[in-house]
Amino acid sequence: MRKATIAAKPRPDSEASAVGQCLCGAVEVEIGTPARWAWHDHSSATRRAHGAAYATYVGSWRKRFRVTRGADEITRFKDVATGTTRSFCARCGTPLAYERARSAHMVNVPRALFAGRTGREPRYHVAIDQLQDWTYLGEPLVPLKGFPGIVWERPTRRKRGRTRGISD
Ligand SMILES: [Zn+2]
């Protein structure tokens, strides 16, 4: 017998989907693909909520978003001042969803939860004026001697200009 919960709602056979999960695997979510849109959020609230320079989200119509495992593990933080609710896994802390009262039909899911494609490239930026100067923006990197697997941005590279090769 089907339960009257979002978690038990079957996926329409005709709908393609993307499956995501939290770090510990307790919670699994699914969205219908292609996602509605995708963007990078540079706002201070999202930066702190994720503990990262910025977060990349895919927005899903609420009716195409499902919690397919671990609904009982989800904890929510409601920010009354901004009318937003952030959900995360109570076991491992992974952010799972970001919902805004002013767009109640959408559920925004961190892109990083999904290993596969979501059908939407993140071409948009929210709060770009809050971009941090320590955000990595693709500067040239070179191996760090003595630390296999670690690369770094030489502090002198910008002063020299970018016409020299990466192996200089
Ligand atoms: Zn978890």
Side-chain angles (χ1 to χ4, degrees):
M1 179 179 285
R2 278 169 49 189
K3 295 178 182 176
T5 64
I6 292 174
K9 190 176 178 182
R11 169 163 50 97
D13 291 339
S14 61
E15 186 181 82
S17 66
V19 176
Q21 68 167 58
C22 65
L23 175 61
C24 77
V27 181
E28 185 180 271
V29 299
E30 184 180 59
I31 61 169
T33 55
R36 180 75 179 92
W37 71 307
W39 73 100
H40 305 291
D41 184 346
H42 304 271
S43 69
S44 61
T46 287
R47 189 164 60 245
R48 289 208 167 90
H50 285 254
Y54 62 89
T56 305
Y57 289 104
V58 291
S60 171
W61 295 111
R62 184 175 297 279
K63 64 185 178 183
R64 301 185 75 191
F65 169 83
R66 293 168 288 278
V67 176
T68 49
R69 184 171 68 219
D72 293 342
E73 301 283 357
I74 297 175
T75 295
R76 291 176 176 81
F77 169 69
K78 185 166 187 175
D79 188 339
V80 177
T82 59
T84 59
T85 301
R86 294 176 186 270
S87 302
F88 55 94
C89 174
R91 287 182 61 194
C92 69
T94 299
L96 297 167
Y98 171 40
E99 299 164 79
R100 294 180 286 190
R102 66 170 184 263
S103 51
H105 56 291
M106 297 292 292
V107 177
N108 308 305
V109 185
R111 174 64 182 85
L113 301 187
F114 302 95
R117 314 284 296 182
T118 62
R120 197 64 70 182
E121 291 181 47
R123 294 174 178 258
Y124 307 92
H125 293 259
V126 170
I128 191 65
D129 58 309
Q130 296 178 53
L131 176 74
Q132 300 297 292
D133 61 8
W134 45 269
T135 302
Y136 178 61
L137 297 174
E139 294 86 350
L141 302 171
V142 295
L144 179 61
K145 288 179 181 172
F147 295 87
I150 306 294
V151 293
W152 72 307
E153 178 190 348
R154 285 192 178 131
T156 55
R157 183 157 296 279
R158 281 188 181 134
K159 293 174 185 171
R160 288 178 183 169
R162 301 192 174 206
T163 56
R164 300 177 68 160
I166 197 168
S167 60
D168 285 356

